[in-house]
Amino acid sequence: MADGKYFSTTKKGEIHELKEELASLDRPKKKEAVKKVIAAMTVGKDVSMLFPHVVNCMQTEDLELKKLVYLYLINYAKTQPDLAIMAVNTFVKDSQEPNPLIRALAVRTMGCIRVDKITEYLCDPLQRCLKDDDPYVRKTAAVCVAKLFDINPELVEDRGFLDMLRDMLSDANPMVVANALAALQEIQEISGKEVLQITSHTLFKLLAALNECTEWGQVFILDSLINYQVQDSKDAEKIVERVLPRLQHVNSAVVLSAAKVVLRMMEEVRNDELIKVWTRKMAPPLVTLLSAEPEVQYVALRNINLIVQRWPQILAHEVKVFFCKYNDPIYVKMEKLEIMIKLASEKNIDQVLLEFKEYAQEIDVDFVRKAVRAIGRCAVSLEKAAQRCISVLLELIQTKVNYVVQEAVIVIKDIFRRYPNQYESIIAQLCENLESLDEPEAKASMIWIIGEYAERIDNADELLETFLETFPEETSMVQLQLLTATVKLFLKKPTDSVQRMIQLVLSCATNETDNPDLRDRAYVYWRLLSTDPEAAKDVVLTSKPVISDDAATLEPGLLKILMEQISTLASVYQKPADTFVSRQRLAVQTVDNVGALDAVELAASSAPVSDNGVSAAVPAAAPVAAAAPAVDLLGDDLLGDSSTAAAPAQPPASAAGLDDLLGGLSVSAAAAAPAPAPPPAAADPFDMFGAAPSPVATAAAASLPVLLSGEKGKGLTVSGKLRRSNGRIVYQLSIANASAGAVDGFMLQVNNNSFGLAPADQVVAVGSLAPGTSNTAQVVMTYNPAKHGQGSVSTRLQVGAAHTSWCSDIASERTFPCACYPALASQDTRAK
């Protein structure tokens, strides 16, 4: 049976047939059934109901079948943790198998199952595997320590696994060294503690393993060397001597990581001759990266862009390799242009300009614009080459191609600002192309040139008048430039026609525009001209600061950070990793919170509730607002399949109501109005299903709205709301037990919401509740970017509570006052 056929079966009754095949005594038939299950799981079908049947297939000597079963377990263990515990004995047994592949597979699979209870059984097999005779088992166990640390950091520290990982850095097998190093780096990132300290002894071990481990092991080792603090120049020379051969590696990741280490060590060396030798050796490997496929080229170019900003001499003589090819993708061409601009010098400017001129005559409009701007940037950065750049720009203007002419005008304006009173002789040629200017930036640039050099243009007033005819329809950029240029013209040539022109512009800018910037500038000019024309000249005609080309240059501090993050996504985005990488840990499933998931959605009214439990009356039969399905950290949909209709809008909340939501925090100096009289029990707004709260609810719950009644909660009454306590946002919960038996192991979780709120700890510390008792607890809420919901802002906060025998969902609506979230102070966040 070809593998493709596993993904094409859609017949009915398939699950029943798979159950029979999984129970078959025929091993090939059983293996085929497991393959079908894995295929169904891969395409997104829910095959979790086959969990016990697949687990029964674990007892086999067939390595392929065992791998398939383990793959299934990794995927579904978080939704079936109680059944996953049944497989622990097999894991422990497999970790002692004579076959090292099976031992490693067992430990790796146990580490991938994020169920808290399994970690207790993982420690002993993991400890044995870390000291296993087979290096394959040891290297697999090293990675498993990092996974275990993510689940239970305290357990890893208590059992001494970190010390064992540090000892493994001296292992005889290079792959074990690389994996131990990778695990320690991962743990250091997760914990924020310095668990990996590279000493001179450790450095020697890592450099010894560098030549023998796999390519990705080399990447881990090279990346770790960045954090080594060299003692002196000789120390740096020894490291570079061992790293330089890695520049010849076939894997581009190894090449970039090696280059990163060499560049880091160049910062520590003061020997200029040695630096020159290293730069010559670095150029060919970097150039070789440009012969790879376009995607790799782009990554290499983004990294080279950083390198040439700090060390331009490395590729100073290699500008030709960055010339664009006809079949290069546009994103590769754009990056090559940026690097060519940075590498342009007086020695190679003629070659570069010739290349840019060719690019400016291609058919890709965006690329042509970029090429024309590149010519202007070269003129701004290279003073001695400015005349040659202007000659090329004038040749391009003669082509009369609309977008070429407009880009040329824009860059020539920048050249005039960089070199004032040097190249004004070309203004006449620019004025011949006024009719072809239709883009706002090009118009604004041409108007600036006319106003700045009005005394040298005989018909400057006529040229500006052609733009003034469409003044009301122009963009704000053009209008601002027209206003300033007209004032400049008036100050330089105060003729009658110009005076009428300035009156027209000022009148239009102050009376017929909605743009406050334009209007304010017009008033400033008007008052300056009417009170002190000489002061107006000092303000408007003052000398301008000389510009420089820093459009694609990073700040020194940011560049230093990114140089240490070369060969990572940070170098591609050219942003520090901390700005886009979240360090949030994944939730860990525990067996204690698993039970029959009876999903019930309750919607609490957003009306304010005072501390005596009194609220505004809401009809008991009011329908509940439907909530969008949300991701359940416990593995199931919090809201189940229930659907409800929208509730009618509530009356505005009083200041007293807002005060109460924050647990007594004053939001108004005025005294709160007294609470209204309690409504009849049948109109209880929180008893949405018509059932009164359980009589065993204590006084502690009186100030909290009832979110789950005793009838719906099988004897359990849950009350709660958000409060503010000691400067923190907490969810105040009260749980009363009127059932026949004791309950414990309470957990709380929150679905994605508009405020990114999530519990800091999912455990609700109410202890074990005997029948007829109740208790209260506060769950601290924190901001979690992963819980930030998409779409429009909603004040609905969907909360799920669970314990060992049931799981019930609560969807409560709350109005968050500005004291909790200042950013929402101007928004109406009442639930509707």
Side-chain angles (χ1 to χ4, degrees):
M1 182 176 184
D3 290 345
K5 295 182 179 179
Y6 292 118
F7 299 92
S8 59
T9 56
T10 56
K11 58 183 179 181
K12 296 181 179 180
E14 186 178 4
I15 298 297
H16 179 70
E17 292 182 9
L18 288 174
K19 287 181 180 179
E20 294 180 352
E21 293 178 8
L22 289 171
S24 173
L25 298 177
D26 185 9
R27 182 180 295 179
K29 188 175 183 181
K30 182 182 294 188
K31 186 188 294 186
E32 288 293 316
V34 175
K35 286 183 178 181
K36 293 177 183 177
V37 173
I38 298 297
M41 180 183 74
T42 304
V43 298
K45 294 181 181 178
D46 183 14
V47 288
S48 59
M49 68 288 296
L50 297 173
F51 195 93
H53 304 278
V54 177
V55 169
N56 289 335
C57 299
M58 289 180 65
Q59 301 290 346
T60 178
E61 299 297 326
D62 191 323
L63 183 59
E64 182 184 3
L65 178 57
K66 191 177 288 289
K67 286 182 178 181
L68 292 171
V69 175
Y70 280 3
L71 180 62
Y72 177 89
L73 284 175
I74 291 172
N75 191 67
Y76 280 113
K78 67 177 182 180
T79 58
Q80 306 279 351
D82 51 342
L83 296 178
I85 297 296
M86 297 166 52
V88 166
N89 288 335
T90 304
F91 285 132
V92 175
K93 179 183 175 182
D94 286 350
S95 68
Q96 300 175 359
E97 278 283 325
N99 189 339
L101 293 177
I102 295 180
R103 295 201 301 272
L105 181 63
V107 173
R108 183 179 65 185
T109 306
M110 290 181 74
C112 290
I113 297 176
R114 300 183 59 82
V115 178
D116 187 54
K117 205 73 174 179
I118 287 186
T119 59
E120 301 175 11
Y121 302 94
L122 173 61
C123 292
D124 291 335
L126 180 58
Q127 205 153 17
R128 286 195 302 269
C129 290
L130 285 171
K131 299 179 180 179
D132 198 279
D133 295 334
D134 192 282
Y136 179 77
V137 179
R138 293 201 303 275
K139 80 178 186 66
T140 305
V143 177
C144 189
V145 173
K147 296 178 181 177
L148 178 60
F149 186 90
D150 193 33
I151 299 172
N152 194 335
E154 295 80 10
L155 185 62
V156 171
E157 295 177 3
D158 294 343
R159 296 296 292 263
F161 288 135
L162 293 180
D163 293 330
M164 297 178 72
L165 280 180
R166 295 188 189 103
D167 293 339
M168 292 174 73
L169 293 178
S170 302
D171 196 279
N173 188 282
M175 271 312 302
V176 176
V177 174
N179 279 24
L181 182 64
L184 286 170
Q185 287 177 328
E186 181 71 19
I187 291 172
Q188 184 164 288
E189 289 183 5
I190 294 173
S191 65
K193 301 176 183 177
E194 191 174 358
V195 298
L196 175 62
Q197 294 181 344
I198 301 180
T199 63
S200 56
H201 174 72
T202 307
L203 175 67
F204 175 77
K205 296 291 185 181
L206 295 179
L207 292 176
L210 185 60
N211 295 331
E212 301 178 26
C213 60
T214 64
E215 51 194 17
W216 298 114
Q218 294 179 33
V219 171
F220 285 125
I221 294 175
L222 290 169
D223 287 346
S224 69
L225 296 180
I226 292 295
N227 300 319
Y228 177 69
Q229 298 297 325
V230 297
Q231 306 300 322
D232 50 31
S233 296
K234 292 184 178 180
D235 206 6
E237 290 178 31
K238 291 179 182 179
I239 294 175
V240 173
E241 184 180 348
R242 303 290 292 272
V243 171
L244 279 176
R246 300 300 98 204
L247 291 173
Q248 311 302 324
H249 202 281
V250 68
N251 189 315
S252 55
V254 177
V255 174
L256 286 175
S257 294
K260 175 169 60 176
V261 175
V262 176
L263 292 169
R264 170 71 174 80
M265 296 306 154
M266 286 170 63
E267 302 284 356
E268 307 295 333
V269 175
R270 298 294 176 264
N271 188 336
D272 293 338
E273 290 300 323
L274 190 59
I275 291 178
K276 288 181 181 179
V277 173
W278 291 351
T279 54
R280 285 199 298 269
K281 291 184 177 180
M282 287 185 64
L286 294 176
V287 169
T288 304
L289 294 177
L290 301 182
S291 60
E293 53 269 22
E295 293 79 10
V296 176
Q297 283 188 55
Y298 178 75
V299 174
L301 288 167
R302 294 292 284 179
N303 284 273
I304 291 172
N305 195 330
L306 294 175
I307 293 172
V308 297
Q309 289 186 52
R310 178 63 185 88
W311 300 97
Q313 63 267 37
I314 293 177
L315 295 167
H317 305 292
E318 306 290 344
V319 68
K320 284 187 177 180
V321 302
F322 298 102
F323 288 176
C324 300
K325 301 176 182 177
Y326 75 95
N327 58 346
D328 280 341
I330 184 64
Y331 55 87
V332 171
K333 289 182 177 180
M334 294 296 192
E335 285 303 314
K336 285 184 174 181
L337 273 181
E338 284 294 336
I339 296 173
M340 289 168 65
I341 295 170
K342 291 180 173 64
L343 295 179
S345 64
E346 296 175 10
K347 295 180 180 179
N348 59 26
I349 189 63
D350 290 328
Q351 290 179 315
V352 172
L353 286 178
L354 185 62
E355 195 73 10
F356 286 165
K357 184 179 177 182
E358 291 293 329
Y359 302 158
Q361 300 177 30
E362 291 194 5
I363 58 174
D364 190 319
V365 176
D366 291 335
F367 185 51
V368 169
R369 291 178 183 273
K370 188 82 170 180
V372 175
R373 297 223 176 189
I375 298 173
R377 289 174 59 184
C378 288
V380 170
S381 58
L382 298 173
E383 182 174 359
K384 294 184 178 180
Q387 181 61 58
R388 282 172 281 179
C389 294
I390 290 177
S391 299
V392 174
L393 289 171
L394 292 177
E395 291 178 22
L396 293 175
I397 289 176
Q398 297 304 317
T399 62
K400 303 296 183 181
V401 178
N402 182 274
Y403 50 86
V404 174
V405 172
Q406 300 197 77
E407 288 297 324
V409 170
I410 293 170
V411 299
I412 288 175
K413 181 261 295 182
D414 292 334
I415 295 173
F416 285 171
R417 289 199 60 187
R418 175 66 179 85
Y419 310 106
N421 303 315
Q422 291 189 35
Y423 302 105
E424 289 75 15
S425 58
I426 67 171
I427 293 177
Q429 293 174 264
L430 298 180
C431 294
E432 294 174 0
N433 296 276
L434 286 181
E435 295 181 359
S436 63
L437 304 181
D438 54 16
E439 295 178 3
E441 190 175 2
K443 282 185 177 181
S445 298
M446 191 66 224
I447 292 168
W448 181 90
I449 293 172
I450 295 173
E452 188 70 15
Y453 300 100
E455 72 279 8
R456 304 188 186 186
I457 305 175
D458 296 334
N459 60 339
D461 53 344
E462 297 177 5
L463 297 177
L464 284 181
E465 272 188 322
T466 60
F467 292 104
L468 289 175
E469 293 174 0
T470 57
F471 183 85
E473 292 81 26
E474 298 291 354
T475 62
S476 58
M477 178 192 301
V478 177
Q479 288 177 335
L480 287 168
Q481 284 296 344
L482 269 173
L483 175 61
T484 303
T486 307
V487 172
K488 288 179 180 178
L489 176 62
F490 175 74
L491 293 173
K492 293 177 179 180
K493 294 182 177 181
T495 61
D496 293 340
S497 61
V498 175
Q499 187 172 358
R500 288 193 298 270
M501 188 187 304
I502 190 66
Q503 289 176 347
L504 176 64
V505 172
L506 291 175
S507 175
C508 186
T510 54
N511 299 324
E512 301 178 14
T513 181
D514 295 329
N515 187 340
D517 293 333
L518 178 64
R519 187 168 57 247
D520 290 349
R521 185 181 294 190
Y523 278 126
V524 169
Y525 286 154
W526 200 328
R527 285 165 186 159
L528 274 174
L529 293 173
S530 60
T531 56
D532 191 349
E534 291 303 319
K537 288 184 179 181
D538 294 338
V539 172
V540 179
L541 302 180
T542 185
S543 58
K544 312 297 187 296
V546 176
I547 65 171
S548 60
D549 178 34
D550 57 356
T553 303
L554 300 174
E555 296 178 359
L558 176 58
L559 181 60
K560 183 178 179 181
I561 293 174
L562 294 179
M563 288 295 289
E564 295 181 356
Q565 297 179 351
I566 282 177
S567 79
T568 66
L569 271 180
S571 63
V572 178
Y573 294 157
Q574 296 195 354
K575 296 179 181 179
D578 294 339
T579 62
F580 61 88
V581 175
S582 173
R583 300 297 182 191
Q584 296 290 334
R585 292 176 55 200
L586 297 174
V588 179
Q589 181 65 290
T590 60
V591 177
D592 293 338
N593 65 358
V594 177
L597 297 178
D598 297 327
V600 180
E601 181 182 3
L602 301 177
S605 169
S606 63
V609 182
S610 64
D611 286 338
N612 61 5
V614 179
S615 65
V618 179
V624 183
V631 177
D632 184 359
L633 292 178
L634 301 181
D636 287 271
D637 185 7
L638 272 176
L639 305 182
D641 294 325
S642 59
S643 59
T644 48
Q650 301 298 324
S654 65
L658 294 180
D659 178 41
D660 180 67
L661 280 173
L662 294 180
L665 180 66
S666 175
V667 294
S668 174
D684 183 0
F686 299 108
D687 187 10
M688 302 305 290
F689 293 88
S694 171
V696 285
T698 63
S703 63
L704 302 175
V706 177
L707 304 178
L708 184 68
S709 66
E711 179 181 346
K712 295 297 180 182
K714 301 180 182 179
L716 288 177
T717 301
V718 179
S719 306
K721 69 176 178 181
L722 283 173
R723 288 187 184 275
R724 185 150 189 180
S725 175
N726 297 325
R728 298 182 302 179
I729 300 175
V730 300
Y731 206 95
Q732 181 76 36
L733 281 173
S734 175
I735 304 176
N737 181 18
S739 63
V743 291
D744 59 5
F746 287 93
M747 306 286 292
L748 180 76
Q749 69 177 25
V750 176
N751 275 359
N752 292 353
N753 54 83
S754 296
F755 309 99
L757 284 179
D761 188 352
Q762 293 182 338
V763 178
V764 181
V766 294
S768 178
L769 294 180
T773 63
S774 65
N775 202 353
T776 61
Q778 285 186 349
V779 179
V780 177
M781 307 296 286
T782 60
Y783 175 71
N784 185 346
K787 297 300 260 181
H788 218 295
Q790 302 295 322
S792 58
V793 175
S794 170
T795 55
R796 177 180 289 272
L797 185 65
Q798 298 166 342
V799 182
H803 69 90
T804 51
S805 60
W806 63 272
C807 178
S808 186
D809 296 326
I810 305 160
S812 59
E813 297 183 355
R814 287 291 176 266
T815 300
F816 294 94
C818 60
C820 274
Y821 283 90
L824 300 178
S826 63
Q827 300 179 11
D828 179 14
T829 58
R830 291 188 55 81
K832 298 181 179 179

